[in-house]
Amino acid sequence: MDPLVSYEQFVLCFPQATNQLQAERALKTASGLVRAVAKQTFTFVAQEAVILRGNTRILVLPQRPAVVDDDNPLTVVELGDFGAINFAAVEGRDFVRTGNELERGCPWWYTSRYQGWPHRDQPGLWAPRVQVTYSHGYRDDIPDELAGLVMDVAKALYDNPRGLRSFSTPEYSETYAKETLGATTVEGVKAQLAVMGYRQGAFSIG
């Protein structure tokens, strides 16, 4: 997967990063770390299928932002247990989408399999397993605050590619501000992503 920030963007902020190969390696590693911690791809992915646990009124699509338009339809199927019939849910009839949330409806005039029939099923809840096919991610540049986080991590990797705390020879000694990819860096990334509000991912089947 391509880095979240290009070398051209990186060197605009850090013109001293003249070694392009080393900078691109740092950007790739930093992008991988941010993706792993956030459990988000961020870049655009078309028509990915995921299976989510249901038995709740609101399903949260794991990857953000969801992209729904004529070229990127949203398909939601409640999976039947042990070979039972699957049910294709329709937006506006069976559920309402608000951003990345799918809220199951329970209209009195349309009783579907998981909206009160059979009677042992609680009305207004999703089936135990729901398959959602949707597109997600940023088709253009990622948000500025996310790009800034990636570049901050990449800058530390560029300056200290070996991940050392300090380095010394008989003639020279240098101490780095922090070890790259250490616990402090990972916790810092977690904290900043939490402030930005990014959610976790889910198991992909396609």
Side-chain angles (χ1 to χ4, degrees), residues 10-161:
F10 184 66
V11 80
L12 282 175
C13 295
F14 303 105
Q16 67 272 29
T18 55
N19 187 327
Q20 183 173 350
L21 182 61
Q22 183 174 326
E24 288 177 342
R25 186 181 302 115
L27 286 167
K28 190 173 183 64
T29 302
S31 298
L33 174 63
V34 171
R35 284 180 171 125
V37 172
K39 296 183 180 179
Q40 297 281 313
T41 59
F42 296 116
T43 48
F44 182 73
V45 176
Q47 296 298 280
E48 181 178 22
V50 295
I51 294 178
L52 306 176
R53 292 188 182 274
N55 283 327
T56 183
R57 186 175 182 83
I58 296 177
L59 284 180
V60 179
L61 300 179
Q63 295 290 322
R64 305 194 328 180
V67 178
V68 181
D69 53 32
D70 291 341
D71 296 325
N72 298 280
L74 171 67
T75 304
V76 183
V77 178
E78 293 181 308
L79 302 178
D81 296 327
F82 306 109
I85 296 174
N86 296 337
F87 175 78
V90 178
E91 184 173 357
R93 185 193 70 183
D94 304 305
F95 68 93
V96 175
R97 182 178 69 89
T98 304
N100 270 53
E101 294 185 348
L102 310 181
E103 182 175 357
R104 192 69 160 92
C106 186
W108 63 269
W109 47 265
Y110 184 85
T111 303
S112 73
R113 177 177 172 219
Y114 283 101
Q115 291 179 305
W117 184 89
H119 297 294
R120 67 176 180 272
D121 290 326
Q122 183 175 348
L125 296 184
W126 289 102
R129 295 186 307 133
V130 183
Q131 180 174 313
V132 182
T133 303
Y134 71 115
S135 301
H136 56 81
Y138 299 98
R139 285 186 274 200
D140 298 314
D141 292 336
I142 61 175
D144 292 341
E145 68 273 12
L146 185 59
L149 173 60
V150 173
M151 286 193 284
D152 285 345
V153 176
K155 178 63 165 53
L157 290 166
Y158 180 87
D159 291 339
N160 184 12

